[in-house]
Amino acid sequence: MLVILSGGGTAGHINPALALAEVLEERGCQVKFAGTPTGVESRLVPQAGVEFVPFEAAGFNRRHPLSLVKALKLVSKSTKKAKAWLDDVKPDVVVGFGGYVSIPVGRAAKSRNVPVVIHEQNSVMGLANKMMSKTAQKVCLTYACAAGDVDSGKIEVTGNPVRKAVLSSTRAEGREMLGIPEDAQMLLVFGGSLGARHINQALCSMKEEVLAHENLYVVHITGPKEYDTVMEELALTPEQAKRWQVMGYQNRMGETLAAADMIISRAGATSLAEISARAIPAILVPFPFATADHQTTNARAYVEAGCANMMADDSLETPEFKAMVMELIENADLRQSMHENALAQETADAARRLADVVMGAARA
């Protein structure tokens, strides 16, 4: 069975696709990936050992009509190219993960009677997936609330797939990598790939209170642009630096997550899926300028399930946030409850569930 995956623009579209690819290849399927030639997928997909085929695509700015004309021309050109490609490789199913590049690939599949499945990572459906959902055979969701007006007969709530590198890392491996004792507590702080100014500021301001917990270690991933500022604000002594590790970026998040006892993080789709799959107690701080405020909706569903607490970005420099952080550190019963509720979400099985839907669509 040949499965074509398509998506682009952000790692949030690509990582779930690669997690699905891992399961499909284990089941004996052949996988190819259609993405943009300059997007992050052009680097991540070949690194994962999946064949990558480039197609041009671009978004548009509603305030500049000429950008729409350009985008439509690219869609038309890439749809024609995708049709020829599909005629050549003869796939059994196409799976779209969002991003404008999935539109011409999906349109080409529909014209060739190849079944299309889409997967939406966020609680608010993106434009490309919304367009493709009208003709897709199956619409797979992380959150049921993203369904909107999609025909309920198409809907499958699978969760958001997480790659094996995140799932297979062990606590012992993570602790050894970071140099943190097995019996210590570890708080992981990160704001996504670019970091988060407000989260960084808030944690810096409570340095003394956090480090007053003698058996607590902090791993603080600031984002590359924030590293120097955070180091200056923290002004760690050599002794404090032994328990508060600051890094601009971490490319071994599997081991880092495995080592953590608790997390403060944004609520992007990938971050939240990884936190959920590892069932780590968390405080979520949604990025307030995300499209349709989808990070808040992402977080709310997880918080309502008892897996985490949430604080608005503009409330981080308040006594309430400090109290929330201290409670997470000090309340073992709270952390255990969050852990158990997160396990019940079964996010670790999302890739398998999505693979079942995709292979079922191919055989239908």
Side-chain angles (χ1 to χ4, degrees):
M1 180 181 295
L2 171 58
V3 181
I4 289 177
L5 311 180
S6 184
T10 71
H13 295 314
I14 311 310
N15 287 328
L18 293 177
L20 173 63
E22 290 173 340
V23 175
L24 291 172
E25 288 174 342
E26 277 186 357
R27 296 183 181 185
C29 298
Q30 183 183 6
V31 179
K32 298 179 187 290
F33 196 106
T36 60
T38 58
V40 66
E41 62 272 21
S42 66
R43 173 176 57 85
L44 295 179
V45 173
Q47 282 179 357
V50 176
E51 182 180 336
F52 180 78
V53 180
F55 291 89
E56 296 282 353
F60 61 93
N61 188 329
R62 295 180 184 182
R63 291 176 292 184
H64 299 283
L66 287 179
S67 69
L68 176 59
V69 174
K70 178 182 178 181
L72 291 174
K73 284 183 177 179
L74 278 179
V75 166
S76 178
K77 178 182 176 182
S78 291
T79 299
K80 183 177 179 180
K81 179 181 175 183
K83 287 178 181 178
W85 181 51
L86 297 188
D87 288 340
D88 181 43
V89 300
K90 297 179 172 54
D92 296 283
V93 60
V94 167
V95 189
F97 282 83
Y100 291 104
V101 70
S102 63
I103 295 173
V105 179
R107 289 177 62 186
K110 185 66 179 176
S111 74
R112 297 303 189 255
N113 294 315
V114 176
V116 174
V117 175
I118 66 170
H119 180 272
E120 176 56 52
Q121 300 85 50
N122 285 298
S123 53
V124 177
M125 193 171 292
L127 178 60
N129 277 345
K130 191 174 292 185
M131 292 176 62
M132 291 178 61
S133 68
K134 302 180 188 307
T135 56
Q137 184 170 323
K138 288 290 182 180
V139 176
C140 298
L141 306 175
T142 301
Y143 305 97
C145 62
D149 59 359
V150 176
D151 179 359
S152 60
K154 295 181 177 183
I155 299 296
E156 298 282 352
V157 180
T158 61
N160 196 10
V162 174
R163 296 191 67 183
K164 286 184 179 178
V166 172
L167 298 174
S168 63
S169 298
T170 67
R171 178 183 175 90
E173 290 170 344
R175 291 294 174 110
E176 181 179 4
M177 180 187 79
L178 295 165
I180 295 175
E182 173 59 33
D183 62 351
Q185 282 187 298
M186 177 185 147
L187 169 64
L188 173 61
V189 182
F190 67 101
S193 60
L194 299 179
R197 177 87 282 257
H198 282 175
I199 293 177
N200 290 336
Q201 285 178 321
L203 264 294
C204 289
S205 72
M206 62 180 81
K207 178 186 76 171
E208 300 301 332
E209 293 91 335
V210 169
L211 287 177
H213 298 81
E214 295 182 358
N215 201 37
L216 177 68
Y217 286 67
V218 179
V219 174
H220 190 162
I221 305 172
T222 65
K225 295 180 180 180
E226 285 280 299
Y227 177 80
D228 290 338
T229 300
V230 170
M231 287 296 290
E232 183 176 343
E233 290 182 3
L234 282 172
L236 297 165
T237 67
E239 194 62 29
Q240 290 173 334
K242 293 177 182 178
R243 291 198 292 122
W244 194 304
Q245 296 186 35
V246 183
M247 53 190 77
Y249 182 75
Q250 172 60 278
N251 61 5
R252 295 176 64 180
M253 281 301 292
E255 294 100 319
T256 307
L257 288 164
D261 295 298
M262 63 203 96
I263 284 179
I264 299 172
S265 170
R266 288 299 196 199
T270 297
S271 295
L272 195 48
E274 292 176 351
I275 292 167
S276 178
R278 299 288 326 194
I280 306 169
I283 296 173
L284 303 174
V285 184
F287 177 59
F289 304 111
T291 303
D293 197 21
H294 69 256
Q295 285 204 11
T296 297
T297 311
N298 290 355
R300 186 176 294 118
Y302 197 60
V303 170
E304 289 174 353
C307 309
N309 286 328
M310 176 170 64
M311 184 64 70
D313 186 83
D314 61 5
S315 298
L316 295 186
E317 295 171 7
T318 63
E320 289 76 16
F321 179 65
K322 183 177 290 187
M324 185 180 286
V325 173
M326 292 303 120
E327 184 182 25
L328 187 67
I329 293 170
E330 297 166 2
N331 191 334
D333 290 340
L334 173 65
R335 295 196 304 274
Q336 183 61 27
S337 174
M338 288 180 172
H339 173 71
E340 291 173 358
N341 290 330
L343 286 175
Q345 303 300 302
E346 299 182 335
T347 307
D349 291 330
R352 177 187 57 78
R353 288 195 293 267
L354 181 56
D356 289 343
V357 175
V358 169
M359 296 180 73
R363 295 184 179 117

